[in-house]
mmCIF file of all heavy atoms in Angstrom:
data_model
loop_
_atom_site.group_PDB
_atom_site.id
_atom_site.type_symbol
_atom_site.label_atom_id
_atom_site.label_comp_id
_atom_site.label_asym_id
_atom_site.label_seq_id
_atom_site.Cartn_x
_atom_site.Cartn_y
_atom_site.Cartn_z
ATOM 1 N N GLU A 1 0.827 -1.210 0.000
ATOM 2 C CA GLU A 1 0.000 0.000 0.000
ATOM 3 C C GLU A 1 0.862 1.262 0.000
ATOM 4 O O GLU A 1 0.517 2.268 -0.617
ATOM 5 C CB GLU A 1 -0.908 0.017 1.240
ATOM 6 C CG GLU A 1 -2.051 -0.989 1.197
ATOM 7 C CD GLU A 1 -2.782 -1.059 2.530
ATOM 8 O OE1 GLU A 1 -2.492 -0.232 3.418
ATOM 9 O OE2 GLU A 1 -3.650 -1.946 2.691
ATOM 10 N N GLN A 2 2.005 1.184 0.675
ATOM 11 C CA GLN A 2 2.848 2.366 0.863
ATOM 12 C C GLN A 2 3.965 2.492 -0.171
ATOM 13 O O GLN A 2 4.662 3.508 -0.204
ATOM 14 C CB GLN A 2 3.467 2.328 2.269
ATOM 15 C CG GLN A 2 2.443 2.376 3.393
ATOM 16 C CD GLN A 2 3.071 2.143 4.764
ATOM 17 O OE1 GLN A 2 4.303 2.120 4.901
ATOM 18 N NE2 GLN A 2 2.245 1.966 5.789
ATOM 19 N N ASN A 3 4.153 1.463 -1.006
ATOM 20 C CA ASN A 3 5.281 1.461 -1.945
ATOM 21 C C ASN A 3 4.809 1.027 -3.337
ATOM 22 O O ASN A 3 4.907 -0.149 -3.714
ATOM 23 C CB ASN A 3 6.388 0.529 -1.448
ATOM 24 C CG ASN A 3 7.006 1.012 -0.150
ATOM 25 O OD1 ASN A 3 7.957 1.780 -0.147
ATOM 26 N ND2 ASN A 3 6.455 0.552 0.964
ATOM 27 N N SER A 4 4.326 1.999 -4.110
ATOM 28 C CA SER A 4 3.790 1.697 -5.444
ATOM 29 C C SER A 4 4.871 1.311 -6.445
ATOM 30 O O SER A 4 4.569 0.837 -7.541
ATOM 31 C CB SER A 4 3.010 2.909 -5.965
ATOM 32 O OG SER A 4 3.846 4.062 -6.017
ATOM 33 N N ASP A 5 6.135 1.510 -6.069
ATOM 34 C CA ASP A 5 7.227 1.148 -6.980
ATOM 35 C C ASP A 5 7.659 -0.309 -6.809
ATOM 36 O O ASP A 5 8.669 -0.732 -7.389
ATOM 37 C CB ASP A 5 8.424 2.079 -6.794
ATOM 38 C CG ASP A 5 8.926 2.133 -5.357
ATOM 39 O OD1 ASP A 5 8.129 1.830 -4.436
ATOM 40 O OD2 ASP A 5 10.097 2.483 -5.140
ATOM 41 N N PHE A 6 6.913 -1.077 -6.011
ATOM 42 C CA PHE A 6 7.177 -2.510 -5.849
ATOM 43 C C PHE A 6 5.923 -3.315 -6.157
ATOM 44 O O PHE A 6 4.802 -2.856 -5.902
ATOM 45 C CB PHE A 6 7.633 -2.829 -4.416
ATOM 46 C CG PHE A 6 9.088 -2.558 -4.158
ATOM 47 C CD1 PHE A 6 9.503 -1.288 -3.796
ATOM 48 C CD2 PHE A 6 10.035 -3.562 -4.292
ATOM 49 C CE1 PHE A 6 10.841 -1.012 -3.556
ATOM 50 C CE2 PHE A 6 11.373 -3.304 -4.060
ATOM 51 C CZ PHE A 6 11.778 -2.031 -3.692
ATOM 52 N N LYS A 7 6.111 -4.487 -6.710
ATOM 53 C CA LYS A 7 4.995 -5.415 -6.928
ATOM 54 C C LYS A 7 5.315 -6.748 -6.253
ATOM 55 O O LYS A 7 6.490 -7.098 -6.060
ATOM 56 C CB LYS A 7 4.743 -5.625 -8.418
ATOM 57 C CG LYS A 7 5.875 -6.340 -9.147
ATOM 58 C CD LYS A 7 5.525 -6.554 -10.619
ATOM 59 C CE LYS A 7 6.665 -7.300 -11.351
ATOM 60 N NZ LYS A 7 6.344 -7.527 -12.765
ATOM 61 N N LEU A 8 4.279 -7.474 -5.875
ATOM 62 C CA LEU A 8 4.452 -8.780 -5.243
ATOM 63 C C LEU A 8 4.740 -9.824 -6.316
ATOM 64 O O LEU A 8 4.019 -9.928 -7.312
ATOM 65 C CB LEU A 8 3.188 -9.158 -4.468
ATOM 66 C CG LEU A 8 3.258 -10.422 -3.608
ATOM 67 C CD1 LEU A 8 4.248 -10.233 -2.463
ATOM 68 C CD2 LEU A 8 1.870 -10.766 -3.047
ATOM 69 N N ALA A 9 5.794 -10.597 -6.116
ATOM 70 C CA ALA A 9 6.158 -11.651 -7.069
ATOM 71 C C ALA A 9 5.605 -12.991 -6.588
ATOM 72 O O ALA A 9 5.455 -13.223 -5.387
ATOM 73 C CB ALA A 9 7.673 -11.732 -7.209
ATOM 74 N N ASP A 10 5.284 -13.850 -7.528
ATOM 75 C CA ASP A 10 4.831 -15.204 -7.197
ATOM 76 C C ASP A 10 6.068 -16.071 -6.965
ATOM 77 O O ASP A 10 6.909 -16.235 -7.855
ATOM 78 C CB ASP A 10 4.005 -15.773 -8.346
ATOM 79 C CG ASP A 10 3.316 -17.092 -7.977
ATOM 80 O OD1 ASP A 10 3.827 -17.819 -7.085
ATOM 81 O OD2 ASP A 10 2.271 -17.396 -8.566
ATOM 82 N N ILE A 11 6.200 -16.623 -5.749
ATOM 83 C CA ILE A 11 7.418 -17.372 -5.412
ATOM 84 C C ILE A 11 7.300 -18.871 -5.652
ATOM 85 O O ILE A 11 8.253 -19.617 -5.399
ATOM 86 C CB ILE A 11 7.828 -17.136 -3.941
ATOM 87 C CG1 ILE A 11 6.785 -17.725 -2.979
ATOM 88 C CG2 ILE A 11 8.039 -15.653 -3.675
ATOM 89 C CD1 ILE A 11 7.231 -17.698 -1.526
ATOM 90 N N ASN A 12 6.165 -19.327 -6.172
ATOM 91 C CA ASN A 12 5.957 -20.772 -6.301
ATOM 92 C C ASN A 12 6.983 -21.451 -7.185
ATOM 93 O O ASN A 12 7.327 -22.619 -6.973
ATOM 94 C CB ASN A 12 4.539 -21.045 -6.813
ATOM 95 C CG ASN A 12 3.502 -20.931 -5.714
ATOM 96 O OD1 ASN A 12 3.407 -21.794 -4.847
ATOM 97 N ND2 ASN A 12 2.750 -19.836 -5.711
ATOM 98 N N GLU A 13 7.506 -20.736 -8.179
ATOM 99 C CA GLU A 13 8.497 -21.346 -9.069
ATOM 100 C C GLU A 13 9.794 -21.701 -8.340
ATOM 101 O O GLU A 13 10.565 -22.540 -8.813
ATOM 102 C CB GLU A 13 8.811 -20.406 -10.238
ATOM 103 C CG GLU A 13 9.473 -19.100 -9.833
ATOM 104 C CD GLU A 13 9.866 -18.255 -11.030
ATOM 105 O OE1 GLU A 13 10.743 -18.690 -11.805
ATOM 106 O OE2 GLU A 13 9.289 -17.158 -11.183
ATOM 107 N N PHE A 14 10.025 -21.071 -7.187
ATOM 108 C CA PHE A 14 11.236 -21.339 -6.417
ATOM 109 C C PHE A 14 11.022 -22.389 -5.327
ATOM 110 O O PHE A 14 11.957 -22.706 -4.587
ATOM 111 C CB PHE A 14 11.744 -20.045 -5.770
ATOM 112 C CG PHE A 14 11.967 -18.926 -6.737
ATOM 113 C CD1 PHE A 14 11.074 -17.868 -6.817
ATOM 114 C CD2 PHE A 14 13.055 -18.946 -7.609
ATOM 115 C CE1 PHE A 14 11.267 -16.840 -7.722
ATOM 116 C CE2 PHE A 14 13.255 -17.921 -8.518
ATOM 117 C CZ PHE A 14 12.358 -16.867 -8.578
ATOM 118 N N LEU A 15 9.805 -22.911 -5.231
ATOM 119 C CA LEU A 15 9.453 -23.843 -4.160
ATOM 120 C C LEU A 15 9.307 -25.270 -4.683
ATOM 121 O O LEU A 15 8.940 -25.476 -5.847
ATOM 122 C CB LEU A 15 8.124 -23.426 -3.515
ATOM 123 C CG LEU A 15 8.049 -22.012 -2.919
ATOM 124 C CD1 LEU A 15 6.633 -21.742 -2.428
ATOM 125 C CD2 LEU A 15 9.052 -21.859 -1.790
ATOM 126 N N PRO A 16 9.566 -26.264 -3.827
ATOM 127 C CA PRO A 16 9.285 -27.653 -4.201
ATOM 128 C C PRO A 16 7.792 -27.799 -4.509
ATOM 129 O O PRO A 16 6.953 -27.141 -3.880
ATOM 130 C CB PRO A 16 9.664 -28.445 -2.943
ATOM 131 C CG PRO A 16 10.572 -27.540 -2.180
ATOM 132 C CD PRO A 16 10.132 -26.153 -2.473
ATOM 133 N N GLU A 17 7.471 -28.661 -5.433
ATOM 134 C CA GLU A 17 6.084 -28.784 -5.899
ATOM 135 C C GLU A 17 5.105 -29.093 -4.769
ATOM 136 O O GLU A 17 3.979 -28.580 -4.750
ATOM 137 C CB GLU A 17 6.002 -29.869 -6.979
ATOM 138 C CG GLU A 17 4.675 -29.890 -7.695
ATOM 139 C CD GLU A 17 4.682 -30.799 -8.912
ATOM 140 O OE1 GLU A 17 5.774 -31.146 -9.395
ATOM 141 O OE2 GLU A 17 3.583 -31.159 -9.365
ATOM 142 N N LYS A 18 5.520 -29.884 -3.783
ATOM 143 C CA LYS A 18 4.574 -30.314 -2.755
ATOM 144 C C LYS A 18 4.205 -29.227 -1.755
ATOM 145 O O LYS A 18 3.306 -29.438 -0.942
ATOM 146 C CB LYS A 18 5.096 -31.555 -2.015
ATOM 147 C CG LYS A 18 6.485 -31.474 -1.455
ATOM 148 C CD LYS A 18 6.878 -32.853 -0.913
ATOM 149 C CE LYS A 18 8.344 -32.891 -0.508
ATOM 150 N NZ LYS A 18 8.749 -34.222 -0.019
ATOM 151 N N ILE A 19 4.881 -28.067 -1.795
ATOM 152 C CA ILE A 19 4.445 -26.985 -0.911
ATOM 153 C C ILE A 19 4.032 -25.737 -1.701
ATOM 154 O O ILE A 19 3.875 -24.658 -1.130
ATOM 155 C CB ILE A 19 5.514 -26.605 0.144
ATOM 156 C CG1 ILE A 19 6.856 -26.271 -0.501
ATOM 157 C CG2 ILE A 19 5.650 -27.680 1.190
ATOM 158 C CD1 ILE A 19 7.883 -25.747 0.492
ATOM 159 N N ARG A 20 3.825 -25.888 -2.997
ATOM 160 C CA ARG A 20 3.299 -24.781 -3.787
ATOM 161 C C ARG A 20 1.800 -24.619 -3.513
ATOM 162 O O ARG A 20 1.124 -25.563 -3.115
ATOM 163 C CB ARG A 20 3.534 -25.022 -5.279
ATOM 164 C CG ARG A 20 4.999 -24.983 -5.668
ATOM 165 C CD ARG A 20 5.191 -25.326 -7.140
ATOM 166 N NE ARG A 20 6.606 -25.363 -7.482
ATOM 167 C CZ ARG A 20 7.079 -25.751 -8.658
ATOM 168 N NH1 ARG A 20 6.235 -26.135 -9.608
ATOM 169 N NH2 ARG A 20 8.379 -25.765 -8.884
ATOM 170 N N SER A 21 1.314 -23.408 -3.719
ATOM 171 C CA SER A 21 -0.103 -23.146 -3.480
ATOM 172 C C SER A 21 -0.596 -22.080 -4.442
ATOM 173 O O SER A 21 0.169 -21.552 -5.264
ATOM 174 C CB SER A 21 -0.319 -22.683 -2.036
ATOM 175 O OG SER A 21 0.229 -21.389 -1.841
ATOM 176 N N GLU A 22 -1.879 -21.728 -4.332
ATOM 177 C CA GLU A 22 -2.432 -20.672 -5.179
ATOM 178 C C GLU A 22 -1.966 -19.296 -4.730
ATOM 179 O O GLU A 22 -2.006 -18.342 -5.510
ATOM 180 C CB GLU A 22 -3.967 -20.748 -5.164
ATOM 181 C CG GLU A 22 -4.515 -22.019 -5.808
ATOM 182 C CD GLU A 22 -6.032 -22.057 -5.798
ATOM 183 O OE1 GLU A 22 -6.650 -21.070 -5.316
ATOM 184 O OE2 GLU A 22 -6.604 -23.054 -6.258
ATOM 185 N N ALA A 23 -1.542 -19.181 -3.473
ATOM 186 C CA ALA A 23 -1.052 -17.896 -2.964
ATOM 187 C C ALA A 23 0.337 -17.614 -3.532
ATOM 188 O O ALA A 23 1.136 -18.537 -3.718
ATOM 189 C CB ALA A 23 -0.998 -17.923 -1.445
ATOM 190 N N PRO A 24 0.669 -16.350 -3.801
ATOM 191 C CA PRO A 24 1.994 -16.015 -4.326
ATOM 192 C C PRO A 24 3.087 -16.044 -3.267
ATOM 193 O O PRO A 24 4.270 -15.962 -3.588
ATOM 194 C CB PRO A 24 1.805 -14.601 -4.886
ATOM 195 C CG PRO A 24 0.693 -14.027 -4.072
ATOM 196 C CD PRO A 24 -0.225 -15.181 -3.750
ATOM 197 N N TYR A 25 2.705 -16.143 -1.992
ATOM 198 C CA TYR A 25 3.648 -16.190 -0.875
ATOM 199 C C TYR A 25 3.574 -17.571 -0.226
ATOM 200 O O TYR A 25 2.773 -18.431 -0.633
ATOM 201 C CB TYR A 25 3.322 -15.088 0.155
ATOM 202 C CG TYR A 25 1.877 -15.105 0.608
ATOM 203 C CD1 TYR A 25 1.434 -15.971 1.622
ATOM 204 C CD2 TYR A 25 0.933 -14.267 0.012
ATOM 205 C CE1 TYR A 25 0.112 -16.007 2.018
ATOM 206 C CE2 TYR A 25 -0.398 -14.292 0.405
ATOM 207 C CZ TYR A 25 -0.802 -15.158 1.401
ATOM 208 O OH TYR A 25 -2.120 -15.197 1.794
ATOM 209 N N LEU A 26 4.389 -17.794 0.802
ATOM 210 C CA LEU A 26 4.410 -19.101 1.474
ATOM 211 C C LEU A 26 4.242 -18.923 2.980
ATOM 212 O O LEU A 26 4.959 -18.145 3.609
ATOM 213 C CB LEU A 26 5.747 -19.803 1.202
ATOM 214 C CG LEU A 26 5.960 -21.164 1.890
ATOM 215 C CD1 LEU A 26 4.956 -22.193 1.378
ATOM 216 C CD2 LEU A 26 7.383 -21.661 1.678
ATOM 217 N N GLN A 27 3.280 -19.646 3.547
ATOM 218 C CA GLN A 27 3.112 -19.717 4.998
ATOM 219 C C GLN A 27 3.251 -21.179 5.416
ATOM 220 O O GLN A 27 2.500 -22.030 4.951
ATOM 221 C CB GLN A 27 1.747 -19.184 5.436
ATOM 222 C CG GLN A 27 1.494 -19.284 6.942
ATOM 223 C CD GLN A 27 2.419 -18.391 7.760
ATOM 224 O OE1 GLN A 27 2.294 -17.171 7.755
ATOM 225 N NE2 GLN A 27 3.353 -18.999 8.481
ATOM 226 N N LEU A 28 4.226 -21.451 6.249
ATOM 227 C CA LEU A 28 4.500 -22.812 6.713
ATOM 228 C C LEU A 28 4.032 -22.973 8.155
ATOM 229 O O LEU A 28 4.143 -22.057 8.965
ATOM 230 C CB LEU A 28 5.999 -23.103 6.634
ATOM 231 C CG LEU A 28 6.618 -23.057 5.237
ATOM 232 C CD1 LEU A 28 8.134 -22.968 5.335
ATOM 233 C CD2 LEU A 28 6.208 -24.287 4.429
ATOM 234 N N TYR A 29 3.516 -24.176 8.467
ATOM 235 C CA TYR A 29 3.078 -24.507 9.822
ATOM 236 C C TYR A 29 3.740 -25.816 10.256
ATOM 237 O O TYR A 29 3.810 -26.767 9.462
ATOM 238 C CB TYR A 29 1.558 -24.670 9.883
ATOM 239 C CG TYR A 29 0.789 -23.426 9.525
ATOM 240 C CD1 TYR A 29 0.289 -23.248 8.238
ATOM 241 C CD2 TYR A 29 0.567 -22.428 10.471
ATOM 242 C CE1 TYR A 29 -0.428 -22.108 7.897
ATOM 243 C CE2 TYR A 29 -0.154 -21.283 10.140
ATOM 244 C CZ TYR A 29 -0.651 -21.131 8.854
ATOM 245 O OH TYR A 29 -1.345 -19.999 8.531
ATOM 246 N N PRO A 30 4.206 -25.893 11.498
ATOM 247 C CA PRO A 30 4.925 -27.096 11.939
ATOM 248 C C PRO A 30 4.100 -28.381 11.891
ATOM 249 O O PRO A 30 4.655 -29.444 11.605
ATOM 250 C CB PRO A 30 5.354 -26.754 13.375
ATOM 251 C CG PRO A 30 4.532 -25.584 13.778
ATOM 252 C CD PRO A 30 4.199 -24.840 12.533
ATOM 253 N N HIS A 31 2.788 -28.298 12.151
ATOM 254 C CA HIS A 31 1.978 -29.525 12.174
ATOM 255 C C HIS A 31 1.551 -29.972 10.778
ATOM 256 O O HIS A 31 1.136 -31.123 10.597
ATOM 257 C CB HIS A 31 0.742 -29.338 13.055
ATOM 258 C CG HIS A 31 -0.245 -28.332 12.544
ATOM 259 N ND1 HIS A 31 0.070 -27.015 12.414
ATOM 260 C CD2 HIS A 31 -1.530 -28.458 12.124
ATOM 261 C CE1 HIS A 31 -0.984 -26.350 11.957
ATOM 262 N NE2 HIS A 31 -1.963 -27.208 11.761
ATOM 263 N N ILE A 32 1.653 -29.078 9.803
ATOM 264 C CA ILE A 32 1.276 -29.415 8.423
ATOM 265 C C ILE A 32 2.500 -29.788 7.594
ATOM 266 O O ILE A 32 2.512 -30.803 6.893
ATOM 267 C CB ILE A 32 0.528 -28.236 7.758
ATOM 268 C CG1 ILE A 32 -0.810 -28.004 8.457
ATOM 269 C CG2 ILE A 32 0.316 -28.504 6.263
ATOM 270 C CD1 ILE A 32 -1.570 -26.795 7.949
ATOM 271 N N HIS A 33 3.533 -28.963 7.700
ATOM 272 C CA HIS A 33 4.709 -29.145 6.849
ATOM 273 C C HIS A 33 5.872 -29.843 7.552
ATOM 274 O O HIS A 33 6.856 -30.203 6.924
ATOM 275 C CB HIS A 33 5.173 -27.779 6.325
ATOM 276 C CG HIS A 33 4.098 -27.040 5.580
ATOM 277 N ND1 HIS A 33 3.334 -26.048 6.170
ATOM 278 C CD2 HIS A 33 3.645 -27.171 4.313
ATOM 279 C CE1 HIS A 33 2.468 -25.579 5.283
ATOM 280 N NE2 HIS A 33 2.623 -26.247 4.158
ATOM 281 N N HIS A 34 5.770 -30.000 8.882
ATOM 282 C CA HIS A 34 6.763 -30.729 9.689
ATOM 283 C C HIS A 34 8.146 -30.074 9.653
ATOM 284 O O HIS A 34 9.170 -30.757 9.791
ATOM 285 C CB HIS A 34 6.833 -32.196 9.248
ATOM 286 C CG HIS A 34 5.482 -32.849 9.204
ATOM 287 N ND1 HIS A 34 4.754 -33.102 10.349
ATOM 288 C CD2 HIS A 34 4.716 -33.249 8.154
ATOM 289 C CE1 HIS A 34 3.593 -33.654 10.001
ATOM 290 N NE2 HIS A 34 3.544 -33.751 8.690
ATOM 291 N N ILE A 35 8.163 -28.775 9.439
ATOM 292 C CA ILE A 35 9.367 -27.963 9.592
ATOM 293 C C ILE A 35 8.942 -26.701 10.353
ATOM 294 O O ILE A 35 7.778 -26.568 10.732
ATOM 295 C CB ILE A 35 10.018 -27.613 8.233
ATOM 296 C CG1 ILE A 35 9.014 -26.960 7.274
ATOM 297 C CG2 ILE A 35 10.615 -28.857 7.589
ATOM 298 C CD1 ILE A 35 9.599 -26.564 5.924
ATOM 299 N N ASP A 36 9.865 -25.785 10.581
ATOM 300 C CA ASP A 36 9.528 -24.587 11.347
ATOM 301 C C ASP A 36 8.421 -23.773 10.681
ATOM 302 O O ASP A 36 8.325 -23.717 9.449
ATOM 303 C CB ASP A 36 10.764 -23.690 11.490
ATOM 304 C CG ASP A 36 11.779 -24.251 12.472
ATOM 305 O OD1 ASP A 36 11.434 -25.197 13.215
ATOM 306 O OD2 ASP A 36 12.914 -23.737 12.514
ATOM 307 N N GLY A 37 7.600 -23.122 11.513
ATOM 308 C CA GLY A 37 6.604 -22.200 10.996
ATOM 309 C C GLY A 37 7.299 -20.955 10.463
ATOM 310 O O GLY A 37 8.042 -20.300 11.189
ATOM 311 N N PHE A 38 7.066 -20.630 9.202
ATOM 312 C CA PHE A 38 7.771 -19.531 8.544
ATOM 313 C C PHE A 38 6.844 -18.834 7.555
ATOM 314 O O PHE A 38 5.892 -19.441 7.051
ATOM 315 C CB PHE A 38 8.989 -20.063 7.769
ATOM 316 C CG PHE A 38 10.323 -19.612 8.292
ATOM 317 C CD1 PHE A 38 10.853 -20.199 9.437
ATOM 318 C CD2 PHE A 38 11.062 -18.626 7.656
ATOM 319 C CE1 PHE A 38 12.092 -19.805 9.927
ATOM 320 C CE2 PHE A 38 12.299 -18.230 8.134
ATOM 321 C CZ PHE A 38 12.814 -18.813 9.268
ATOM 322 N N PHE A 39 7.160 -17.567 7.287
ATOM 323 C CA PHE A 39 6.468 -16.832 6.230
ATOM 324 C C PHE A 39 7.518 -16.266 5.289
ATOM 325 O O PHE A 39 8.546 -15.731 5.728
ATOM 326 C CB PHE A 39 5.637 -15.687 6.808
ATOM 327 C CG PHE A 39 4.989 -14.821 5.756
ATOM 328 C CD1 PHE A 39 3.810 -15.240 5.148
ATOM 329 C CD2 PHE A 39 5.550 -13.618 5.364
ATOM 330 C CE1 PHE A 39 3.213 -14.456 4.162
ATOM 331 C CE2 PHE A 39 4.951 -12.837 4.378
ATOM 332 C CZ PHE A 39 3.767 -13.253 3.787
ATOM 333 N N ILE A 40 7.269 -16.376 3.977
ATOM 334 C CA ILE A 40 8.207 -15.857 2.971
ATOM 335 C C ILE A 40 7.417 -15.201 1.836
ATOM 336 O O ILE A 40 6.478 -15.805 1.304
ATOM 337 C CB ILE A 40 9.078 -16.978 2.360
ATOM 338 C CG1 ILE A 40 9.706 -17.851 3.465
ATOM 339 C CG2 ILE A 40 10.179 -16.387 1.479
ATOM 340 C CD1 ILE A 40 10.362 -19.113 2.931
ATOM 341 N N CYS A 41 7.785 -13.979 1.495
ATOM 342 C CA CYS A 41 7.222 -13.350 0.300
ATOM 343 C C CYS A 41 8.316 -12.557 -0.405
ATOM 344 O O CYS A 41 9.375 -12.292 0.165
ATOM 345 C CB CYS A 41 6.022 -12.461 0.633
ATOM 346 S SG CYS A 41 6.416 -10.953 1.535
ATOM 347 N N LYS A 42 8.041 -12.169 -1.653
ATOM 348 C CA LYS A 42 9.067 -11.532 -2.470
ATOM 349 C C LYS A 42 8.473 -10.369 -3.244
ATOM 350 O O LYS A 42 7.381 -10.487 -3.827
ATOM 351 C CB LYS A 42 9.667 -12.559 -3.437
ATOM 352 C CG LYS A 42 10.843 -12.084 -4.277
ATOM 353 C CD LYS A 42 11.401 -13.263 -5.078
ATOM 354 C CE LYS A 42 12.680 -12.905 -5.809
ATOM 355 N NZ LYS A 42 13.265 -14.080 -6.491
ATOM 356 N N PHE A 43 9.174 -9.266 -3.239
ATOM 357 C CA PHE A 43 8.773 -8.077 -3.999
ATOM 358 C C PHE A 43 9.825 -7.796 -5.088
ATOM 359 O O PHE A 43 11.005 -8.083 -4.894
ATOM 360 C CB PHE A 43 8.667 -6.846 -3.095
ATOM 361 C CG PHE A 43 7.852 -7.059 -1.849
ATOM 362 C CD1 PHE A 43 8.469 -7.387 -0.644
ATOM 363 C CD2 PHE A 43 6.469 -6.937 -1.879
ATOM 364 C CE1 PHE A 43 7.726 -7.582 0.511
ATOM 365 C CE2 PHE A 43 5.711 -7.123 -0.732
ATOM 366 C CZ PHE A 43 6.334 -7.448 0.466
ATOM 367 N N VAL A 44 9.359 -7.212 -6.179
ATOM 368 C CA VAL A 44 10.269 -6.795 -7.248
ATOM 369 C C VAL A 44 10.080 -5.301 -7.489
ATOM 370 O O VAL A 44 8.942 -4.815 -7.555
ATOM 371 C CB VAL A 44 10.016 -7.577 -8.545
ATOM 372 C CG1 VAL A 44 10.875 -7.022 -9.692
ATOM 373 C CG2 VAL A 44 10.284 -9.053 -8.345
ATOM 374 N N ARG A 45 11.186 -4.577 -7.590
ATOM 375 C CA ARG A 45 11.115 -3.137 -7.851
ATOM 376 C C ARG A 45 10.761 -2.890 -9.320
ATOM 377 O O ARG A 45 11.419 -3.423 -10.218
ATOM 378 C CB ARG A 45 12.439 -2.457 -7.514
ATOM 379 C CG ARG A 45 12.348 -0.948 -7.581
ATOM 380 C CD ARG A 45 13.464 -0.274 -6.826
ATOM 381 N NE ARG A 45 13.039 1.044 -6.396
ATOM 382 C CZ ARG A 45 13.663 1.749 -5.466
ATOM 383 N NH1 ARG A 45 14.719 1.257 -4.864
ATOM 384 N NH2 ARG A 45 13.230 2.943 -5.126
#
């Protein structure tokens, strides 16, 4: 909202197929993915 010179990039191409989703970002949960809970997103200028 505050930075019109950036756009959100879809990161699924950089992820293993089994954790790709329709969302352009990644939210991991320990009970679902069996690794640490993490959030990752990517912007491009």
Side-chain angles (χ1 to χ4, degrees):
E1 288 172 8
Q2 298 172 10
N3 295 271
S4 58
D5 55 337
F6 279 85
K7 66 178 181 180
L8 187 66
D10 189 334
I11 66 172
N12 281 287
E13 64 175 295
F14 305 105
L15 302 176
E17 191 170 342
K18 52 187 172 182
I19 54 174
R20 293 176 183 174
S21 69
E22 294 181 2
Y25 53 83
L26 177 64
Q27 178 66 71
L28 298 164
Y29 298 97
H31 66 297
I32 294 175
H33 303 99
H34 309 292
I35 54 179
D36 287 347
F38 246 77
F39 175 81
I40 311 169
C41 70
K42 185 175 187 175
F43 310 96
V44 174
R45 188 161 206 164

